Amino acid sequence: MVIGVRRRTYVTRAGAALAALLTAATAVVGCADDVERSAEVTLLTHDSFTLPDSVFDTFQQETGLTLKVVKSGDAGQLASTVSLTPGSPKADAVFGIDNTFASRPIEAGALEPYQSPMAADGAAEYALPDSNNELTAVDRGDVCLNVDDDWYASRGEEPPKSLRDLRDPKYASQAALLDPGTSSPGLAFLLTTIGVFPQGWQDYWTTVTAGGATVVSGWEIAYNQLFSAGEAKGDKPIVLSYASSPAATPGTSALLDSCWRQVEYVGILKGTDNLAGAQQLVDFMLSPTVQEALPSSMYVYPVQQGTPLPDGWAQRAPVPSWTVSLPPAFVAQNREAWLQEWRDAVGR
């Protein structure tokens, strides 16, 4: 009996020791997992996001963090994805939500407020009105119709001079435009037409689409596949893009009466497991390393003051002297109604 009791006591102590050892081992593994997670920052962004590998290397050297990039469609789809997952994010931060869609994730409570100390150098000038620093400006561009001037010259034809010219079926049938429900440049151009034709923008769209304009879901398809000066050398010499796009595509130009100023933002996703890392990423997006890389990599203008631009940009990609502007709150209040009116006008 005594031996039996001692044996049971021994087994109990051994079990306790083993359990403690396993608990400690689990804790070590858990800590290792936490360290590994905290050493990586995941950025959710749109399909057009690109920066040189050297930029990512600099981020790792300066912060000790590895940047993982996850792409999620066009900026409009990106805003919807973020808005549908408040508190349960697919990443730590998001880049590419712009001023046409910014109200969606803010109203959904999907973003963590953060005021970067570096924003005072320029980014703060593009802050969203009536917001709480949920989004920080990184770059700005101007959404405009682009024309393949070489295409017209090779045929001895005159290119359009204005967005108004698209009411002519000759030009309408040559245009690749974007769905404002799925594309942020598409929404920007819809807002442009509302600003230019406040009492008749629906008729404008009915006329243009009836004239043969092609409407696709995103910029990549329109510019790189359909545009005659794009990668695939398509058959559309008119495309919706940016005032800065001609800097990347010689022989093209922008119609500067068709422009909407677009600002892209970075934000921290509420519920991130790596808040500190996400804050470092926001700061980094405003650093000279990123700001100087943006024009050549993404053909947008940096927001930080004093950032040098590539040679020739002033001639090839001039900033429009005038752009359409509507108050963000006004856009937010009317956006869904306008989108439905647009669908009705184009028969979608």
Side-chain angles (χ1 to χ4, degrees), residues 111-167:
L111 299 167
E112 186 75 32
Y114 173 63
Q115 186 171 14
S116 171
M118 300 182 68
D121 293 332
E125 296 179 12
Y126 299 90
L128 290 161
D130 303 319
S131 66
N132 188 31
N133 297 305
E134 292 93 346
L135 290 168
T136 302
V138 172
D139 66 72
R140 54 150 293 207
D142 299 289
V143 177
C144 313
L145 291 171
N146 278 216
V147 173
D148 184 352
D149 296 304
D150 286 349
W151 188 93
Y152 286 100
S154 68
R155 290 161 174 77
E157 299 179 12
E158 284 293 318
K161 304 298 184 185
S162 165
L163 82 165
R164 293 171 172 80
D165 293 340
L166 266 63
R167 291 177 294 194

Side-chain angles (χ1 to χ4, degrees), residues 95 114-129 131 133 135-140 261 263-266 282-287 291 294 301-307:
F95 167 76
Y114 173 63
Q115 186 171 14
S116 171
M118 300 182 68
D121 293 332
E125 296 179 12
Y126 299 90
L128 290 161
S131 66
N133 297 305
L135 290 168
T136 302
V138 172
D139 66 72
R140 54 150 293 207
R261 177 172 293 183
V263 180
E264 288 190 305
Y265 297 89
V266 63
V282 172
D283 295 343
F284 184 70
M285 294 295 285
L286 300 183
S287 69
Q291 292 287 300
L294 287 170
Y301 290 91
V303 296
Q304 293 290 73
Q305 298 171 356
T307 304

Side-chain angles (χ1 to χ4, degrees), residues 24 99 103 109 143 151 162 212 231 279 310 318 348:
N99 50 319
S103 63
V143 177
W151 188 93
S162 165
E231 292 178 1
Q279 291 174 342
R348 289 200 167 196

Side-chain angles (χ1 to χ4, degrees), residues 89-233:
K90 299 178 179 295
D92 301 302
V94 60
F95 167 76
I97 294 173
D98 68 19
N99 50 319
T100 61
F101 284 107
S103 63
R104 283 184 181 176
I106 291 176
E107 292 173 359
L111 299 167
E112 186 75 32
Y114 173 63
Q115 186 171 14
S116 171
M118 300 182 68
D121 293 332
E125 296 179 12
Y126 299 90
L128 290 161
D130 303 319
S131 66
N132 188 31
N133 297 305
E134 292 93 346
L135 290 168
T136 302
V138 172
D139 66 72
R140 54 150 293 207
D142 299 289
V143 177
C144 313
L145 291 171
N146 278 216
V147 173
D148 184 352
D149 296 304
D150 286 349
W151 188 93
Y152 286 100
S154 68
R155 290 161 174 77
E157 299 179 12
E158 284 293 318
K161 304 298 184 185
S162 165
L163 82 165
R164 293 171 172 80
D165 293 340
L166 266 63
R167 291 177 294 194
D168 182 339
K170 170 187 174 181
Y171 292 122
S173 62
Q174 297 171 349
L177 304 178
L178 303 177
D179 187 327
T182 58
S183 163
S184 62
L187 179 56
F189 188 60
L190 172 60
L191 297 176
T192 297
T193 62
I194 291 171
V196 173
F197 309 107
Q199 304 302 321
W201 66 268
Q202 298 94 334
D203 292 337
Y204 175 85
W205 279 98
T206 298
T207 300
V208 170
T209 52
T214 299
V215 179
V216 295
S217 61
W219 180 89
E220 291 282 349
I221 297 172
Y223 199 92
N224 290 327
Q225 297 182 29
L226 301 183
F227 188 37
S228 55
E231 292 178 1
K233 303 298 180 184

